[in-house]
Amino acid sequence: MQSYTRRSFLGLGGAALATATLAACAGTGGSSSEASSESGTITFWSNHPGKSQDVEKELISRFRSAHPDLQVNLVSAGKNYEEVSQKFNAALSGGELPDVVVLSDVWWFNYALNKTITPLDDLYSQVGIDTSDYVDSLVADYEFAGNHWALPYARSTPLFYYNKQLWQQAGLPDRGPQTWQEFGEWGPRLQQAIGSGKHAHGWGDAKDYLGWTFEGPVWTFDGAYSDEWALRFTDEKTLTAARFLADTIHTGKYAVVSNDIANDFAAGVIGSTIASTGDLSGITTNATFEFGTAFLPSMDGKPGCPTGGAGLAVPANISDERKRNALTFIEFVTNPENTAYFSQNVGYMPVRKSAVNDPSMKAFLEQNPNSRTAVDQLAHTRSQDYARVFVPGGDQIIGTGLEQIALQNVDPAVALGGVQDRIQQIVDRQIAPNL
């Protein structure tokens, strides 16, 4: 297959790439709610990332004070990003469309390809938005066909969380492991210290974004899910990373797969984990012990951490007035003061450059070094592999393959060979014909 760079692929504006669930994305939903923001109400669909519902309500209260002519209807559109996307897809087929919708890193792209969300650039001047203050790498994540299709909102990286009390009991330094090989050496000591019925480390399951949280470790072994459209699941270095995953569970027996890594870590059931920055506030509230956060381990100084999280998008098939009102709301809740507030109370990274210079943010980071880790690590992250974020269903396929290795002790070559075959079929059938 001909090689395409990210930018050249994103320039293929007419590509019709969609999962089966997105086959009808070009529907005309929304006509029954067309008066929504013409009558002064902005409907905001969210899954309240990082358990942020109360924080979102506060942001809405601030918005209403600044824009008394506009109301905001906050709708719980799902428990997670997938459920929000499913609800949005259903609305595109004939239901009532929101004005603003949360879309994660693995969902927005399909809607942009199908042109069912609005390219925002032409609206920036109408609303008075200058995107230069947004963190460059975060706003660039939503670029497609010369336009931006969302603005960053609940943006995250994975962090390495560790129980300081357990680390001390095991006689380890108060820091995260510098490499995964080092953590492999620490694992047995940590397991002995934590005792039976618990585990030194917890990996997430497929629903807890194992395909995302293990992407960084794969990179540190010089593996990858893909290089652009060339799949690399069966490369020897990728398999080496997968064997390491298997060894932590089946050989070293100091790690386990958890279906709720944040709560299990906070409860002391697992001594360390890789979880989102969005889990930070919940862990801080629930943990009864002192814990630390660290960069994900690297190898030879090579970054081993992807960005992630979600942005805010505007449906295409609503009126121009609704679009302007929606973008006014998005700009407001992501302005420097409010992204700093969101970051301090939920744990996601502030999405504006100037937010880190906000006095309250400076004070917060000084008093909360666990939060500073995410901000500092941002400079050491890299864009995710196409196979996870551009291939429809890629994340779940990858996570399920890794689960087979972790839970069923399937040979990594067999499990990841199956992943490669499934994703290659999707690329060949749904993507290659449009390249």
Side-chain angles (χ1 to χ4, degrees):
M1 183 187 303
Q2 183 176 351
S3 175
Y4 286 84
T5 65
R6 176 184 176 98
R7 182 166 297 276
S8 66
F9 176 73
L10 296 183
L12 300 170
L17 170 64
T19 65
T21 60
L22 296 177
C25 264
T28 57
S31 60
S32 61
S33 62
E34 190 59 43
S36 176
S37 75
E38 277 85 354
S39 62
T41 299
I42 298 167
T43 299
F44 173 29
W45 281 10
S46 180
N47 64 305
H48 321 302
K51 300 179 180 179
S52 59
Q53 186 168 7
D54 289 341
V55 175
E56 289 179 331
K57 289 179 178 178
E58 169 60 23
L59 293 177
I60 289 169
S61 177
R62 294 180 180 188
F63 178 78
R64 291 184 61 186
S65 295
H67 300 273
D69 55 328
L70 293 173
Q71 303 291 318
V72 178
N73 178 26
L74 177 62
V75 175
S76 296
K79 294 181 294 185
N80 52 43
Y81 296 135
E82 288 80 4
E83 290 188 3
V84 173
S85 185
Q86 290 166 7
K87 182 178 176 71
F88 183 54
N89 184 57
L92 290 169
S93 299
E96 293 189 1
L97 289 171
D99 299 277
V100 178
V101 60
V102 169
L103 293 176
S104 83
D105 53 351
V106 300
W107 288 108
W108 73 268
F109 191 55
N110 285 317
Y111 296 109
L113 283 167
N114 285 277
K115 300 182 180 179
T116 52
I117 56 176
T118 299
L120 302 178
D121 299 68
D122 289 344
L123 293 172
Y124 288 158
S125 60
Q126 298 179 41
V127 177
I129 293 180
D130 178 5
T131 59
S132 64
D133 188 44
Y134 284 91
V135 175
D136 294 333
S137 60
L138 299 184
V139 75
D141 279 345
Y142 304 105
E143 185 179 356
F144 161 58
N147 284 295
H148 295 85
W149 300 77
L151 282 172
Y153 174 55
R155 295 305 308 270
S156 60
T157 63
L159 293 177
F160 187 88
Y161 291 79
Y162 66 99
N163 183 325
K164 290 194 171 192
Q165 180 180 339
L166 174 63
W167 252 238
Q168 186 176 29
Q169 291 173 354
L172 296 174
D174 183 8
R175 62 170 174 82
Q178 294 178 343
T179 66
W180 284 113
Q181 284 87 338
E182 182 177 54
F183 189 61
E185 297 169 0
W186 289 3
R189 294 170 60 181
L190 289 164
Q191 187 58 46
Q192 185 176 10
I194 200 170
S196 61
K198 300 178 181 180
H199 288 84
H201 189 73
W203 301 102
D205 64 2
K207 291 182 179 178
D208 219 350
Y209 306 112
L210 180 57
W212 179 54
T213 57
F214 198 67
E215 189 171 29
V218 168
W219 291 341
T220 68
F221 284 85
D222 285 330
Y225 297 153
S226 63
D227 284 338
E228 298 180 1
W229 293 114
L231 303 185
R232 289 189 53 196
F233 293 101
T234 58
D235 284 12
E236 184 57 34
K237 291 180 179 179
T238 305
L239 294 176
T240 299
R243 293 185 190 108
F244 172 79
L245 170 66
D247 287 345
T248 66
I249 297 171
H250 304 297
T251 304
K253 299 185 184 301
Y254 58 85
V256 68
V257 171
S258 163
N259 60 10
D260 195 344
I261 50 177
N263 283 334
D264 282 351
F265 176 75
V269 176
I270 54 178
S272 63
T273 193
I274 302 175
S276 170
T277 58
D279 292 312
L280 183 55
S281 63
I283 291 174
T284 301
T285 299
N286 297 326
T288 58
F289 53 85
E290 187 179 3
F291 69 92
T293 60
F295 288 12
L296 265 63
S298 65
M299 293 289 290
D300 301 323
K302 299 174 183 176
C305 183
T307 57
L312 297 178
V314 178
N317 195 41
I318 61 176
S319 72
D320 289 344
E321 182 180 352
R322 289 180 65 183
K323 291 176 182 178
R324 287 191 294 270
N325 289 342
L327 194 53
T328 297
F329 174 75
I330 292 173
E331 192 281 333
F332 183 87
V333 298
T334 61
N335 71 24
E337 178 183 358
N338 288 325
T339 192
Y341 170 78
F342 191 81
S343 177
Q344 292 169 37
N345 285 276
V346 184
Y348 289 101
M349 295 178 295
V351 301
R352 294 290 191 104
K353 299 171 187 174
S354 60
V356 296
N357 297 318
D358 183 275
S360 69
M361 195 69 196
K362 281 185 174 181
F364 176 81
L365 293 176
E366 184 68 28
Q367 297 167 9
N368 296 274
N370 285 333
S371 297
R372 178 176 289 280
T373 303
V375 176
D376 292 345
Q377 187 177 230
L378 182 59
H380 304 280
T381 58
R382 61 184 257 193
S383 297
Q384 295 190 59
D385 294 339
Y386 285 18
R388 179 176 184 265
V389 291
F390 287 171
V391 174
D395 177 54
Q396 281 298 305
I397 295 171
I398 296 167
T400 299
L402 293 172
E403 268 194 343
Q404 290 178 326
I405 296 166
L407 293 177
Q408 302 169 31
N409 203 14
V410 174
D411 183 336
V414 173
L416 294 187
V419 169
Q420 176 134 330
D421 288 344
R422 290 184 65 188
I423 291 184
Q424 189 67 61
Q425 288 178 14
I426 297 172
V427 172
D428 290 344
R429 295 173 182 174
Q430 300 186 39
I431 298 175
N434 298 301
L435 295 182

